[in-house]
Amino acid sequence: MGINKKSIFVFAEQVDNRITSVVFELLGKARELSEKLNAVVVAVLPGYQIAELPKDLYAYGAHKVLISDHQALREYRTEPYTQVIAEMIRQYEPQIVLFGATSIGRDLAPRVAARIHTGLTADCTGLRVEDERLRFLMTRPAFGGNLMATIVCPDHQPAMATVRPGVMVKRLPEPDAMGELIPFEIDLTENHLFTKILETVREEGSKKLDIQDADILVAGGRGMKSAKGFEILRDLADVLGGEVASSRAAVDAGWQEKAIQVGQTGKTVRPNLYIACGISGAIQHLAGMEESDFIVAINSDPTAPIFNVADVGIVGDVFKIVPKLTEAIRKERTN
Amino acid sequence: MNIIVCIKQVPDTKEVRIDPVKGTLIRQGVPSIMNPDDKAALEAALRIKDGMGAKVIALSMGPLQADAVLREAMAMGADEGILVSDPQFGGADTWATSATLAAAITKLEYDLVLAGRQAIDGDTAQVGPEIAEHLGIPHISYAKELRIEGDEVIVKRQFEDRYQLLSAKMPVLVTALSELNQPRYMTPRGIFEAYREKQVTHWQRNDIPVESENIGLKGSPTRVIETNPKVMKAPGTKIEEDVEKSVQYLIEKLKEKYIL
């Protein structure tokens, strides 16, 4: 029992005892890295009454699950989670530790990195192991997405990274996959570093389908002119079975919610189909959607940069083309 | 009540352009600004000062020209500005930066340390929490509301689909979202004082009680080994036709891709 070879840790973030989607993406990536490094993939799972969760972690690629089931870990708080993860790292000495770049991961990872004195690379969009020297290379956008930087952590262990949700690819789940469960006991006595949770409030409107889970996205930008302008995009999304997304310009203008914003300061998406309507294609936006399988851009400005990443670009008026397209698709679907 | 606000001078990344021929970053002519999240942190500190009285110290680490953001902070209402600047601090990653700033903070009295959630040139969101860890105090990140009650800070902490109301006993470090507030403008009186009467305090290597192996490039666990302009994929087909033909073309393409 235990971990007696090199390992890659994946922080198995859960909220309300549901594993956050990015964890499965990280497990897929960790499995790929583990083959080259001859390492085991260990999902590290802090929480309370979480006995049901390891099976999904095995299904998506974890060889082992290091579980810490403790009442103090029921809801995320920085200090008890930091204590658990730091202690697990000290005890098992993994080579690599991966976190989702979620609002929990981006809070926890730096605290852990500072405590165990190691490097942390934020918001990675690429992770790989070199062929010969086997260095672990972390790639991330810098300067608002204008540059890509490749970063190593040569003299400290483990190398730690937070990874943008929606970038890495999940493995096909193997529901019958089995792994080894390793319980991890820890004393979590409250000290001055503990914060108190006075209240937790789920916010309305946030329970809609996450744009990161949608296979088809119809996105609008400044060219949609108003909140009302987005209605034709909703119609198109509905007939395609997709969701509506937004550029930053339309969010800043108050036409759409931040939750559906795509881009450097919003979400990264990689749907099968991304239809960009009235979006000029600022680099900040492209950073969040250019990995989509098939990109259609509709814009009246033939010089808009969005056409540089589009598989199909239509130069024209969105308010004329989109309703006709919706109608044509509806016709196709009923035939 | 003493409040330290950590501020970074950053290039305005919205103004950064890529040279279309060489594919490199054009930095020339890009204005330097006070990082937006840090400005929200400063505004939060100034509101506490307005409400209950506090001494607000703006602290920055960077090259000498970062003096400008500290003057701006003082012109907005900060009582003092301190610039930690020395070639030996250069090339620091978030670990070394936070170790240096934390060591500088230990020279000051503080109840509350405020910082922006992240800087727009790096977007890491790491320096705030790492400073708190080096100082051995709790931190609360992603603050969208903040108030003081007795010896505690109460913070509305934003998550993807919820918020938590958290409390922590001071001293504590809080990182601010831009949504926290609308920062005030500099006042004419403030500008006069900041540029004519007040001085920015400069601290160099020997003023900071931090070990040499923890600073600068040498003290940084991470190394940038390569930077590349982003590789754009080859453009696809662009068509400029009438509405009917455009729609028909799209339908064919979607069928080709088995979407229809």
PDB file of all heavy atoms in Angstrom, chain B residues 11 59 67 101 113 247:
ATOM      1  N   PRO B  11       2.434  47.369 -17.824  1.00  0.00           N
ATOM      2  CA  PRO B  11       2.120  47.917 -19.139  1.00  0.00           C
ATOM      3  C   PRO B  11       0.633  47.694 -19.409  1.00  0.00           C
ATOM      4  O   PRO B  11       0.074  46.673 -19.001  1.00  0.00           O
ATOM      5  CB  PRO B  11       2.982  47.076 -20.085  1.00  0.00           C
ATOM      6  CG  PRO B  11       3.273  45.818 -19.347  1.00  0.00           C
ATOM      7  CD  PRO B  11       3.236  46.148 -17.884  1.00  0.00           C
ATOM      8  N   LEU B  59       2.833  50.299  -1.280  1.00  0.00           N
ATOM      9  CA  LEU B  59       4.126  49.615  -1.378  1.00  0.00           C
ATOM     10  C   LEU B  59       4.256  48.980  -2.754  1.00  0.00           C
ATOM     11  O   LEU B  59       3.322  48.313  -3.219  1.00  0.00           O
ATOM     12  CB  LEU B  59       4.189  48.530  -0.295  1.00  0.00           C
ATOM     13  CG  LEU B  59       5.383  47.573  -0.307  1.00  0.00           C
ATOM     14  CD1 LEU B  59       6.661  48.303   0.086  1.00  0.00           C
ATOM     15  CD2 LEU B  59       5.135  46.408   0.646  1.00  0.00           C
ATOM     16  N   ASP B  67       8.066  54.524  -9.299  1.00  0.00           N
ATOM     17  CA  ASP B  67       7.826  55.706  -8.475  1.00  0.00           C
ATOM     18  C   ASP B  67       6.505  56.392  -8.884  1.00  0.00           C
ATOM     19  O   ASP B  67       5.749  56.858  -8.038  1.00  0.00           O
ATOM     20  CB  ASP B  67       9.009  56.668  -8.703  1.00  0.00           C
ATOM     21  CG  ASP B  67       8.974  57.877  -7.817  1.00  0.00           C
ATOM     22  OD1 ASP B  67       8.300  58.857  -8.183  1.00  0.00           O
ATOM     23  OD2 ASP B  67       9.602  57.817  -6.748  1.00  0.00           O
ATOM     24  N   LEU B 101       8.655  41.207  -0.822  1.00  0.00           N
ATOM     25  CA  LEU B 101       7.623  42.134  -0.338  1.00  0.00           C
ATOM     26  C   LEU B 101       7.241  41.823   1.109  1.00  0.00           C
ATOM     27  O   LEU B 101       7.037  42.737   1.919  1.00  0.00           O
ATOM     28  CB  LEU B 101       6.397  42.096  -1.241  1.00  0.00           C
ATOM     29  CG  LEU B 101       6.550  42.828  -2.583  1.00  0.00           C
ATOM     30  CD1 LEU B 101       5.381  42.506  -3.507  1.00  0.00           C
ATOM     31  CD2 LEU B 101       6.636  44.350  -2.359  1.00  0.00           C
ATOM     32  N   VAL B 113      -3.315  44.029   5.089  1.00  0.00           N
ATOM     33  CA  VAL B 113      -2.545  44.166   3.850  1.00  0.00           C
ATOM     34  C   VAL B 113      -3.523  43.936   2.706  1.00  0.00           C
ATOM     35  O   VAL B 113      -4.252  42.939   2.695  1.00  0.00           O
ATOM     36  CB  VAL B 113      -1.390  43.140   3.765  1.00  0.00           C
ATOM     37  CG1 VAL B 113      -0.589  43.340   2.478  1.00  0.00           C
ATOM     38  CG2 VAL B 113      -0.486  43.236   4.982  1.00  0.00           C
ATOM     39  N   VAL B 247     -25.536  31.647 -46.655  1.00  0.00           N
ATOM     40  CA  VAL B 247     -26.243  30.694 -45.804  1.00  0.00           C
ATOM     41  C   VAL B 247     -26.138  29.286 -46.390  1.00  0.00           C
ATOM     42  O   VAL B 247     -25.866  28.313 -45.675  1.00  0.00           O
ATOM     43  CB  VAL B 247     -27.718  31.116 -45.608  1.00  0.00           C
ATOM     44  CG1 VAL B 247     -28.522  30.000 -44.980  1.00  0.00           C
ATOM     45  CG2 VAL B 247     -27.792  32.379 -44.748  1.00  0.00           C
TER      46      VAL B 247
END
